[in-house]
Amino acid sequence: MSDLSGQDRFEQRQEELAKARRTQSILFSVVFVLLFAVSCEVGEASLPVFIEGLPNLASYFSDLTPMIRMNHIGEDVAEWYWGIGKWLKLLWDTILMAFLGTFLGTIMAFLLCFPASANLMPLKPVYFITRRITEFARAVPELVYAMIFVFSFGIGPFPGILAIAIHTAGALGKLFSEVNENLDDKAIEGVRASGGNWFEVIRFAVVPQVLPNFTSYTLLRFEINVRAASVIGFVGAGGIGQELMFVIRQFVYTDISAIVLMIILTVIAIDLTCESLRHRLIGKEAL
């Protein structure tokens, strides 16, 4: 028989667990420090270089800032935004690229997410393949897709739309499948018990539950895609990004700041609109 009482064994076990936690914490700290050091080395992160470059950064922002005089503010702003007509058209093209890319990507994600859900797809090979498809689609950045499609289809908005659509399909396919895997199984069991096939289970038991979350994620993705559509224009995929890249290469500093400010204000407006719509959806779902 053991000489230790129940209390002694409990305290001994607590001490062992505390020691194990301390060991794990030390190991985690060591690994974190090593990773941080390696990251700084690979990324060439240097505080002296950063401090030395701050004046250049300030000088660059100074060049971006237009001369606005209070007694000639209208004339100065008009001169700053001399290309407002052309820029607004390109910005509208960017928004439409993001919208169409999000729309096409959402359709693909919707079709992929059900076979990519472990609780809905009994065929393991189908589940495995669809999961890998969504991973591949979102693993490659939109900019890389855009470069490939520009090379294939030429300069213009079409390659940008394709790039956004594919990446959106991968990202939303992952999010949609996770929503599916967290839904209530009672409705699924009810449809199955009544003799419903796989498609009827999806139609009547799954979609009504997940549709509000799907819509919320789609709106969030649209916000992201507006920003992405501005960037992929750098490789000739159309929109305001193509014009921004042109003025950056030409060192037309005031045009750079004018276009960037337009993009920022547009993204803020879209973010606020989509956020309001998401909150309405969440509120309705809560009721």
Side-chain angles (χ1 to χ4, degrees):
M1 296 181 61
S2 175
D3 295 334
L4 297 176
S5 65
Q7 179 67 23
D8 291 336
R9 286 196 298 271
F10 175 78
E11 292 178 354
Q12 183 179 12
R13 180 58 179 166
Q14 287 291 98
E15 184 178 349
E16 291 174 354
L17 291 174
K19 184 177 180 181
R21 285 194 294 269
R22 286 195 298 270
T23 302
Q24 291 177 354
S25 298
I26 293 172
L27 288 175
F28 176 81
S29 300
V30 171
V31 171
F32 177 82
V33 171
L34 289 175
L35 287 175
F36 181 79
V38 172
S39 301
C40 290
E41 180 67 23
V42 173
E44 298 181 0
S46 172
L47 185 60
V49 172
F50 175 75
I51 295 174
E52 183 180 351
L54 281 177
N56 295 330
L57 182 63
S59 176
Y60 186 78
F61 276 102
S62 177
D63 292 336
L64 292 177
T65 305
M67 183 179 64
I68 304 294
R69 298 164 295 180
M70 293 305 299
N71 54 339
H72 296 88
I73 187 169
E75 298 174 3
D76 292 339
V77 171
E79 182 179 355
W80 185 23
Y81 277 91
W82 66 271
I84 183 67
K86 178 178 69 173
W87 296 338
L88 283 175
K89 181 182 181 302
L90 292 172
L91 190 57
W92 178 243
D93 290 345
T94 298
I95 295 173
L96 292 179
M97 286 169 54
F99 175 80
L100 186 54
T102 303
F103 177 74
L104 296 175
T106 301
I107 292 175
M108 291 187 286
F110 186 83
L111 296 175
L112 289 170
C113 72
F114 301 113
S117 302
N119 61 328
L120 300 177
M121 176 45 62
L123 301 176
K124 297 303 181 183
V126 176
Y127 168 78
F128 178 84
I129 292 172
T130 50
R131 275 284 184 174
R132 303 296 81 78
I133 290 173
T134 58
E135 289 170 1
F136 179 82
R138 68 176 180 271
V140 181
E142 296 102 323
L143 195 62
V144 177
Y145 280 130
M147 292 176 64
I148 295 172
F149 293 137
V150 165
F151 179 79
S152 303
F153 303 107
I155 292 175
F158 183 59
I161 293 171
L162 291 178
I164 292 172
I166 292 177
H167 198 276
T168 296
L172 286 184
K174 167 71 170 177
L175 294 174
F176 287 178
S177 64
E178 290 182 350
V179 172
N180 293 336
E181 291 175 351
N182 290 317
L183 55 77
D184 186 5
D185 291 334
K186 293 180 181 178
I188 297 176
E189 294 171 358
V191 175
R192 286 174 177 168
S194 63
N197 58 31
W198 188 83
F199 293 100
E200 289 171 335
V201 168
I202 299 301
R203 168 64 181 85
F204 296 106
V206 178
V207 171
Q209 294 188 67
V210 300
L211 197 57
N213 283 329
F214 280 14
T215 306
S216 179
Y217 279 130
T218 300
L219 290 172
L220 175 61
R221 188 66 201 184
F222 175 61
E223 301 172 17
I224 297 171
N225 286 343
V226 171
R227 293 186 283 269
S230 301
V231 174
I232 61 178
F234 283 19
V235 295
I240 193 67
Q242 194 167 327
E243 178 70 11
L244 180 59
M245 190 61 185
F246 174 78
V247 296
I248 289 175
R249 288 175 174 172
Q250 298 297 317
F251 300 102
V252 188
Y253 294 108
T254 53
D255 284 6
I256 296 172
S257 61
I259 294 173
V260 169
L261 181 59
M262 288 176 60
I263 295 173
I264 292 173
L265 293 177
T266 301
V267 169
I268 290 174
I270 291 174
D271 283 355
L272 291 174
T273 303
C274 291
E275 181 182 2
S276 176
L277 290 173
R278 285 200 306 275
H279 288 170
R280 288 170 179 259
L281 286 171
I282 294 171
K284 290 180 179 179
E285 180 67 6
L287 294 175

